[in-house]
Amino acid sequence: MFVKKISRRDFLRFSAGGVTGAILAACQPVAPAAPPAAPKEEEAAPQPAPEQPVQVTYWGHAFMPRVELDKVYIEQFMEQNPLITVVYENPGDFSNKWLTAIAAGAGPDLWADWNAYVGTAYAQGAIVPVDFVALDMDESEFMDLYIEPQNTLQGATFEGKLYGIPNELSIYAAHLTNKLWEEAGLDPKTDFPKTWEELIPVAEQLTKRDKDGKLIQRGWVFGWAASVWMFLQWGAMLRQLGGSEVSEDGRTCTINTPEAAKVLQYWKDWVEEGRGGPQYQNDQAVFQTGTVATVGHLGSWARPGILDAGIEYTVHPVPRWKDAVNNNGFDIYAYFHMVNSQSPDEVKRAAWKLAWFLDSHPVEYLDKTGLLQPQKKVEASRVFQETPYLDVFLNEMKVSMYSPRIPGFLEVADALARVRDRACVEGMDVVEALAQGKEEIDKILDEAWAAAGI
């Protein structure tokens, strides 16, 4: 329910015959100088209006380029649907506020948040499946709009039902500083390694140290600063080997395995061999300093900042293990539009109608805000085809997975980071560190499920 990656055949079977289917948007494109004009293309067709006036309260995260374009489309939506009033808010501490509000029986009717919170919302019964009738299409038509929906929509899919519409999708890929690769005698276009094992000597060739052994240039940087990177990077490397952080039902920690030990030992060796670690700058802006040859925790949204820093760069899929059983890259993460289960039925329908009005303009959102949605029309668009490396990110999304959709996601991420630090910083044996982590995470999961009333 919360972990398993389903096959395309099973996903389409769930979706057939009318059965309901299937930091971090550290997005940093430069905000437009002024709100964008109403676009001339991709206009959503008007749909039947409600019979009585309704009000939809919509909360969105405060990524300003998106906020400005949201406002344009919300105005268009209300013009086409005069009986629907939209109250649009961008509260600070967004995720905690809506979780608290929902638990109190209040909160917004519609919101967009990333998949770390989807498992908690689902377990608490706080969200409802997508109402395809409100979208004025049947489910098979909706699924056919998306690229590899069994992957790209999996982050909000439970028991074959889709509980959210993605309004932005991201995945990390390897970003190479061309100048540093060339100075090391390497071609950034052709010499990037395919496997984690092959990365080690290449990273060493790209590494520079001062006379005291301190790193002054790193060949490769894992993400250390945010605990969620343990899911998105460390967990994804575990998924390549067929493992997971938790059991399929999301109730038990499963890191006491040879696969998890292999990944953690790789990270531990990386630190102990002096190739980098949490003692060095590890936020996502580190690539813009020009002191690292390769960063693994950047998405397509990073392009404007890299160009502003004057860095010529190349993007590749992240490596796989030589003995990988899954061909996934790092984990997909996404912001989904979700609807409050406690809202009146007519408000729910209006909320889904609004969500799809916003999400039916993916090319414009890519063009104006740099945010990627996994719709087929995006891949066919001029903007997509003319923007370097977007194909790398989208191709990674086609084969990759979401992190487990579990209640207590962020608490588990923090515990995984403590496992990492015990092994990589304090020097604890990896098997012992994983055993301690399993005990801690099992307790977190028990409490999270209990809090959800399940």
Side-chain angles (χ1 to χ4, degrees), residues 180-181 183-186 199-210 213-221 270-271 273-277 280 291-294:
L180 301 184
W181 275 68
E183 288 176 352
L186 295 168
L199 175 63
I200 294 172
V202 173
E204 276 294 335
Q205 189 171 342
L206 292 160
T207 298
K208 294 181 180 179
R209 301 174 177 87
D210 65 16
K214 183 178 179 180
L215 290 176
I216 56 176
Q217 178 178 302
R218 285 172 284 170
W220 168 276
V221 177
W270 199 270
V271 174
E273 294 297 325
R275 302 187 189 102
Y280 295 93
T291 61
V292 297
T294 321

Side-chain angles (χ1 to χ4, degrees), residues 27 70 73 115 139 197 225 276 279 281 316 343 409 424 436 451:
C27 309
D70 281 347
Y73 283 121
N115 53 279
E139 186 175 1
E197 292 87 351
Q279 71 271 39
Q281 182 184 353
H316 290 277
S343 298
F409 179 95
C424 299
Q436 287 191 19

Side-chain angles (χ1 to χ4, degrees), residues 274-290:
R275 302 187 189 102
Q279 71 271 39
Y280 295 93
Q281 182 184 353
N282 285 289
D283 61 20
Q284 289 168 317
V286 67
F287 189 72
Q288 299 176 25
T289 66

Side-chain angles (χ1 to χ4, degrees), residues 258-277:
E259 293 79 14
K262 178 175 180 174
V263 181
L264 186 57
Q265 188 67 55
Y266 188 90
W267 283 45
K268 179 180 172 70
D269 291 344
W270 199 270
V271 174
E272 292 182 348
E273 294 297 325
R275 302 187 189 102

Side-chain angles (χ1 to χ4, degrees), residues 178-199:
N178 291 352
K179 177 183 177 183
L180 301 184
W181 275 68
E182 291 164 356
E183 288 176 352
L186 295 168
D187 187 332
K189 300 293 184 183
T190 61
D191 290 338
F192 186 75
K194 301 294 185 184
T195 70
W196 292 113
E197 292 87 351
E198 293 168 345
L199 175 63

